Amino acid sequence: MIESVNNEKVKYWAKLSEKKYQDSENLFLVEGEHLVIEAEKAGMLKEVIVLNGYDYDFKNKTFVSENVMKKISTLKNIPKVIGVASKIKDGKLSGSVILLDGVQDPGNLGTIIRSAVAFNLGTLVLGENTVSLYNPKVIRATEGLIFHLNIVTNPLKETINELKRFGYTVYSTDVTGGISLKNISFKDKTAIIMGSEGSGVRKEIKNLCAEFINIEMNNMCESLNVGVATSIILYELNNR
Amino acid sequence: MIESVNNEKVKYWAKLSEKKYQDSENLFLVEGEHLVIEAEKAGMLKEVIVLNGYDYDFKNKTFVSENVMKKISTLKNIPKVIGVASKIKDGKLSGSVILLDGVQDPGNLGTIIRSAVAFNLGTLVLGENTVSLYNPKVIRATEGLIFHLNIVTNPLKETINELKRFGYTVYSTDVTGGISLKNISFKDKTAIIMGSEGSGVRKEIKNLCAEFINIEMNNMCESLNVGVATSIILYELNNR
């Protein structure tokens, strides 16, 4: 059992909540039994850190004290188990595509991932200014579904041009104009860009699109939560 | 300007974040300019607390020091202005109705209120075990739309029986069965019950329903976020 928070392994694990170390090590942490099980099912689980006094049926376990668990965990209430998982391999563009331009709230990205799995999305593209996939709050909000989605992290301009070459129709969402979502018949190769919480899709990205979508709503409401708006579009894409 | 956190008015305002005092005084707090403006527009604004050094075009202002603002505010970053608003009058059942059974997360309730305004919901019913409407996190998440929705706070059993007497079809959502949302033609008098984040609609409430709805999804995903699921149903209700 490791009891010292100054232990080199402990310091190493604790750093894996930071983007810099996630990138250099190609690893990230999943906290709590449910997420560790999902990482294992996906074949991404490298090792497991278990709070002393508990046990789990995982391979490659290290037991640690409560203080050490506190040092590693990002949660207020420390979990009984944390997994060290491989970062997810970048996918390839396929099926229906949603592109995120500047979604900053980790809960929103987590919600979008959960809904994307629910509604069989082909590819989720995370643009250059979107919150990191491996932000601990994103991972928690996905409820483990992060391992079940085809995700591409790539600059948007480049990706949009690639999608066009592949024959995709690329729509931008627009709260003030465009065709109502209810009136669109989506084709096989559809890509839709969702904007940030505060300011929507950036102008230079909109300029790359010829088609615009909005979700019709009461004008007392300026916009929907971006997790909600994306989920409604995912629902319609899945039902086309 | 009030500088002392022990001032009686300050103590009074600070208590208005607690349900007990919200109920006895029939008042609640709205934090930040946007929400104060919305409360004023709705004719619900009673008085305004302004951080010393700032000014706003509201009536009935009291200026306070930073320490006093910290004492009253529930936010990490204190706002420049807080409004004291009248609690919203309980509405009457009308139009399409959504009933919430045990939604506990304030962010989810806030999201549902925002989407309910966006999609022209007739009535939102908050059951006996749902988070308080006046929880500061709920109010923030509504983005001011709390003042634009017909809301009824009432025990669910009683409300469901009333809806039936009025000729409503009362659906319960069900993640494991029922008719797919896509295949339902909603009638004029439709009421739909949404369940809690963890366990859905309670059995004793389901037993009052003859009709069940689910949102079809990939079986890798156990359920959608309840804010998302409700928003998708609101979207469909609005488009029927």
Side-chain angles (χ1 to χ4, degrees):
Chain A
M1 205 229 327
I2 302 181
E3 293 193 63
S4 165
V5 294
N6 295 317
N7 179 294
E8 288 306 316
K9 264 191 133 173
V10 173
K11 287 187 198 167
Y12 174 79
W13 288 326
K15 282 179 183 169
L16 293 178
S17 298
E18 295 170 39
K19 187 170 184 320
K20 192 168 90 178
Y21 295 98
Q22 290 168 346
D23 288 348
S24 65
E25 300 301 312
N26 210 31
L27 295 170
F28 70 110
L29 300 180
V30 288
E31 305 187 58
E33 186 180 6
H34 175 67
L35 285 169
V36 177
I37 289 173
E38 290 295 327
E40 191 189 37
K41 274 197 229 162
M44 312 289 265
L45 190 63
K46 291 294 161 194
E47 60 173 323
V48 173
I49 306 151
V50 181
L51 184 61
N52 186 38
Y54 295 89
D55 201 5
Y56 291 93
D57 192 20
F58 298 119
K59 283 178 196 160
N60 213 353
K61 283 177 286 195
T62 306
F63 292 90
V64 302
S65 68
E66 206 174 306
N67 273 341
V68 167
M69 203 52 143
K70 265 186 200 154
K71 165 108 177 167
I72 302 167
S73 175
T74 65
L75 300 173
K76 255 190 201 167
N77 301 314
I78 55 164
K80 296 175 186 68
V81 57
I82 291 180
V84 178
S86 301
K87 278 176 68 177
I88 294 149
K89 273 195 195 128
D90 234 32
K92 282 193 174 143
L93 297 171
S94 69
S96 294
V97 178
I98 294 277
L99 302 96
L100 303 184
D101 182 25
V103 171
Q104 282 300 319
D105 181 88
N108 284 343
L109 178 55
T111 296
I112 290 168
I113 290 171
R114 188 171 163 191
S115 297
V117 174
F119 295 130
N120 305 296
L121 180 68
T123 312
L124 181 68
V125 178
L126 308 180
E128 57 277 17
N129 48 356
T130 284
V131 59
S132 164
L133 184 56
Y134 301 102
N135 178 309
K137 287 183 189 168
V138 172
I139 296 161
R140 271 205 305 287
T142 67
E143 305 232 339
L145 296 176
I146 194 171
F147 299 108
H148 299 289
L149 185 63
N150 179 39
I151 299 175
V152 171
T153 304
N154 205 42
L156 288 188
K157 245 182 190 170
E158 193 185 307
T159 313
I160 292 166
N161 288 330
E162 202 176 342
L163 286 165
K164 285 179 180 174
R165 279 198 303 277
F166 289 168
Y168 274 80
T169 305
V170 183
Y171 296 87
S172 171
T173 48
D174 191 334
V175 288
T176 57
I179 313 165
S180 168
L181 178 62
K182 264 291 155 198
N183 300 328
I184 295 182
S185 308
F186 289 118
K187 293 171 205 133
D188 263 357
K189 291 190 168 182
T190 294
I192 302 172
I193 311 170
M194 307 299 305
S196 74
E197 290 86 352
S199 46
V201 179
R202 282 173 297 163
K203 206 175 163 225
E204 67 255 43
I205 298 297
K206 271 191 184 169
N207 287 344
L208 302 173
C209 301
E211 311 265 0
F212 299 89
I213 299 181
N214 74 66
I215 301 176
E216 243 177 282
M217 64 183 95
N218 188 305
N219 59 18
M220 263 190 309
C221 182
E222 270 179 46
S223 67
L224 294 166
N225 166 290
V226 66
V228 165
T230 310
S231 298
I232 290 173
I233 288 174
L234 286 163
Y235 165 79
E236 285 286 21
L237 270 173
N238 190 43
N239 282 298
R240 74 186 158 77
Chain B
M1 202 223 340
I2 302 180
E3 295 193 64
S4 164
V5 293
N6 296 317
N7 179 293
E8 287 307 315
K9 264 192 133 173
V10 174
K11 286 189 198 165
Y12 175 79
W13 288 326
K15 283 179 181 168
L16 293 178
S17 297
E18 296 170 39
K19 189 172 184 318
K20 193 167 89 178
Y21 295 98
Q22 290 169 346
D23 287 349
S24 64
E25 301 301 311
N26 209 33
L27 295 170
F28 71 109
L29 300 179
V30 289
E31 304 188 59
E33 186 180 5
H34 175 67
L35 285 170
V36 178
I37 290 173
E38 291 295 327
E40 191 190 37
K41 275 198 229 162
M44 312 289 266
L45 191 62
K46 292 293 162 196
E47 60 173 323
V48 172
I49 305 151
V50 180
L51 185 62
N52 187 37
Y54 296 88
D55 200 5
Y56 291 94
D57 192 19
F58 298 120
K59 284 178 196 160
N60 212 352
K61 284 176 284 196
T62 306
F63 292 89
V64 302
S65 68
E66 206 175 307
N67 272 342
V68 167
M69 205 52 144
K70 263 187 200 154
K71 164 103 178 171
I72 302 167
S73 175
T74 65
L75 300 173
K76 255 190 204 166
N77 301 313
I78 56 163
K80 296 176 187 67
V81 57
I82 291 181
V84 178
S86 301
K87 279 175 66 178
I88 294 149
K89 274 195 194 128
D90 235 33
K92 283 192 172 142
L93 297 171
S94 69
S96 294
V97 178
I98 294 277
L99 302 96
L100 303 184
D101 183 25
V103 170
Q104 282 300 318
D105 181 86
N108 284 342
L109 178 55
T111 297
I112 290 169
I113 291 171
R114 189 172 164 191
S115 296
V117 174
F119 295 131
N120 305 296
L121 180 67
T123 311
L124 181 67
V125 177
L126 308 180
E128 57 278 17
N129 48 356
T130 285
V131 59
S132 164
L133 184 57
Y134 301 102
N135 178 308
K137 287 183 190 167
V138 173
I139 297 162
R140 271 203 307 287
T142 68
E143 305 233 339
L145 296 177
I146 193 172
F147 299 108
H148 299 290
L149 185 63
N150 179 39
I151 300 175
V152 171
T153 304
N154 204 42
L156 288 188
K157 245 183 189 169
E158 194 184 307
T159 312
I160 292 166
N161 288 330
E162 202 176 341
L163 287 165
K164 286 180 179 172
R165 278 198 305 275
F166 289 168
Y168 273 81
T169 305
V170 184
Y171 296 86
S172 172
T173 48
D174 191 335
V175 288
T176 57
I179 313 166
S180 168
L181 179 63
K182 264 290 157 201
N183 300 328
I184 295 183
S185 308
F186 289 118
K187 292 173 205 130
D188 263 356
K189 291 190 168 182
T190 294
I192 302 173
I193 311 169
M194 306 299 304
S196 74
E197 291 85 353
S199 46
V201 178
R202 282 172 297 163
K203 206 177 163 221
E204 67 254 43
I205 298 297
K206 273 192 184 167
N207 287 345
L208 302 172
C209 302
E211 311 267 359
F212 298 89
I213 300 181
N214 75 65
I215 301 175
E216 243 177 283
M217 64 183 96
N218 188 306
N219 59 17
M220 262 191 307
C221 183
E222 271 180 45
S223 67
L224 294 166
N225 167 289
V226 66
V228 165
T230 309
S231 298
I232 291 173
I233 289 175
L234 286 164
Y235 165 80
E236 285 286 21
L237 271 173
N238 191 41
N239 283 298
R240 75 188 158 74

